[in-house]
Amino acid sequence: MSAPRRLWVRLRTVGPQNRDAYRAAVRQASDAASDAGAHFWGFEVDGGEGRFIEFLEGPDDTVLTRLDERTSDVLGAAAGNGGAEGAWLEAEGLRCTELTDG
């Protein structure tokens, strides 16, 4: 049996003028996650133009915290809400642990 993985979920609002920059930042975050043995995805909410849901998945909170520290400023600035501090003001966060048998 493999070890459980961690999943963090965050909603983010992106201004219309910032969508292209945000999408580029999502690609950078995805590359950084891959380099760290984790995954990062960003999805636009259907019918909610400018609302995105971000998923950060990896082996443990330590890896995800480091990855979040490396990418939050870029994602927040690209979204137009002033970097990590502004991003958390605009975001609702949720963290989950994978269910495993045993």
Side-chain angles (χ1 to χ4, degrees):
M1 171 178 20
S2 63
R5 307 273 293 177
R6 297 285 288 160
L7 178 69
W8 294 6
V9 180
R10 177 169 51 202
L11 296 173
R12 187 184 302 273
T13 302
V14 177
Q17 70 280 13
N18 299 92
R19 290 171 61 138
D20 290 339
Y22 175 73
R23 287 177 186 194
V26 165
R27 283 190 295 277
Q28 290 177 328
S30 179
D31 291 344
S34 182
D35 292 345
H39 298 95
F40 180 91
W41 300 279
F43 294 88
E44 189 164 13
V45 176
D46 289 347
E49 187 171 320
R51 295 278 295 170
F52 288 81
I53 187 165
E54 300 171 350
F55 297 93
L56 184 56
E57 181 274 335
D60 57 50
D61 282 337
T62 302
V63 168
L64 297 182
T65 297
R66 262 185 275 142
L67 185 58
D68 188 51
E69 288 169 354
R70 290 177 51 201
T71 60
S72 280
D73 287 341
V74 172
L75 287 163
N81 45 21
E85 194 170 280
W88 285 114
L89 293 173
E90 295 288 328
E92 303 159 19
L94 176 67
R95 299 177 183 191
C96 306
T97 302
E98 178 183 19
L99 291 175
T100 59
D101 53 349

